[in-house]
Amino acid sequence: MKILLLEDESMLRSSIEEYLEALGHKVVSFANGEEAFESLQKEAFDLLILDINTPKSTGLNLLQRLNEIEHASPTIFISANLDIDDISRAFDLGAADYLKKPFHLKELGLRIDKIKKEADIKNMQHLILSSKYVFSKKEQMLFYNNNVQTLTKKQLQILTLLSENLGVIVDFEKFRSYVWNDEPVDNATIRAEISRFRKLLKEDFIINLKGVGYKIDRYY
């Protein structure tokens, strides 16, 4: 996993980083919350490990700011703080786990393994469409940064059809049959509906092959 670590105690930060990298994880560490936030705006991480009390921006404030910009990742808080209000706020903000200092590094590794297994199961049920878009075929929901995106019935049908044919061109006849139930709609109507859908997307993963149809490529 690619992990962001926010910890201002240099010895503990180095110990955690060394241990997790020995387990095969990639760790990017920071001593203050502001630098961590800047990094998170530029790149994605599979997991965040955040100390609560850190300079410039606390771990709690960092997660709140990430929630405000819809940039969510599983988060483990680590802290010597036993204040129930802080612990409650951490979970209200979406924290996956909480570890009280001092803790055994192996325990942190076990907590990470649990989160990874849950993510692996989720990924099997979810189709990754772009860097931030995921489609759950089972739940029939489109997620952007783990937040549900509102779709019309036709948009959902378009997305379902394309996702069931990854890497394959879906022609107008298939759209007419699946989305419009073989109604006599022309190609221009189909194009207009798909165009409206694409304009709603913050990352356009639908590829237009002019005069032929549309497709979604596999995202790796």
Side-chain angles (χ1 to χ4, degrees):
M1 298 181 79
K2 184 178 178 183
I3 299 173
L4 180 141
L5 170 64
L6 173 62
E7 172 55 63
D8 60 328
E9 295 180 31
S10 59
M11 289 184 64
L12 179 57
R13 184 173 66 251
S14 297
S15 296
I16 294 174
E17 187 172 355
E18 183 179 345
Y19 178 75
L20 295 183
E21 288 183 343
L23 294 178
H25 301 292
K26 179 181 179 182
V27 181
V28 181
S29 61
F30 298 91
N32 73 72
E34 198 58 44
E35 289 181 357
F37 181 70
E38 290 175 5
S39 177
L40 283 158
Q41 289 179 296
K42 299 173 185 175
E43 55 184 319
F45 291 85
D46 300 311
L47 175 69
L48 311 181
I49 300 175
L50 308 178
D51 187 6
I52 285 185
N53 297 310
T54 52
K56 296 188 178 179
S57 179
T58 68
L60 291 170
N61 289 340
L62 172 61
L63 188 57
Q64 181 175 343
R65 292 166 72 186
L66 292 174
N67 288 343
E68 289 170 356
I69 61 173
E70 299 184 344
H71 190 127
S73 296
T75 304
I76 297 175
F77 276 100
I78 56 175
S79 178
N81 190 351
L82 282 177
D83 189 325
I84 191 62
D85 290 335
D86 283 343
I87 296 173
S88 177
R89 186 182 173 204
F91 285 108
D92 286 344
L93 289 170
D97 213 334
Y98 186 101
L99 266 177
K100 182 187 178 300
K101 298 179 185 177
F103 53 83
H104 198 291
L105 290 174
K106 186 174 180 180
E107 182 179 1
L108 176 60
L110 292 172
R111 304 285 183 101
I112 292 172
D113 284 345
K114 180 176 180 292
I115 290 174
K116 185 177 185 302
K117 286 177 183 177
E118 291 171 350
D120 288 344
I121 291 171
K122 184 177 179 181
N123 288 338
M124 289 174 64
Q125 300 170 342
H126 289 62
L127 184 64
I128 300 174
L129 302 176
S130 70
S131 65
K132 296 181 180 178
Y133 272 111
V134 174
F135 179 52
S136 170
K137 293 170 69 176
K138 180 179 179 181
E139 299 171 323
Q140 288 288 282
M141 291 181 180
L142 179 66
F143 297 87
Y144 179 80
N145 266 346
N146 295 328
N147 294 291
V148 178
Q149 304 297 285
T150 302
L151 300 180
T152 66
K153 181 180 178 180
K154 275 193 167 50
Q155 289 167 354
L156 183 57
Q157 289 173 318
I158 288 168
L159 180 57
T160 300
L161 178 60
L162 289 169
S163 68
E164 289 178 349
N165 294 274
L166 280 187
V168 178
I169 300 170
V170 178
D171 61 28
F172 291 99
E173 284 304 317
K174 289 180 182 176
F175 282 111
R176 193 172 289 111
S177 174
Y178 187 86
V179 181
W180 279 268
N181 297 314
D182 291 317
E183 292 179 10
V185 297
D186 57 20
N187 290 358
T189 299
I190 297 172
R191 283 197 297 268
E193 185 67 38
I194 295 175
S195 178
R196 281 192 289 271
F197 182 20
R198 295 175 72 190
K199 287 178 181 177
L200 292 175
L201 299 173
K202 297 176 183 178
E203 291 180 346
D204 187 4
F205 48 78
I206 299 175
I207 300 169
N208 177 15
L209 292 100
K210 194 171 182 180
V212 181
Y214 298 82
K215 71 172 180 173
I216 298 174
D217 280 335
R218 293 185 179 277
Y219 184 81
Y220 298 96

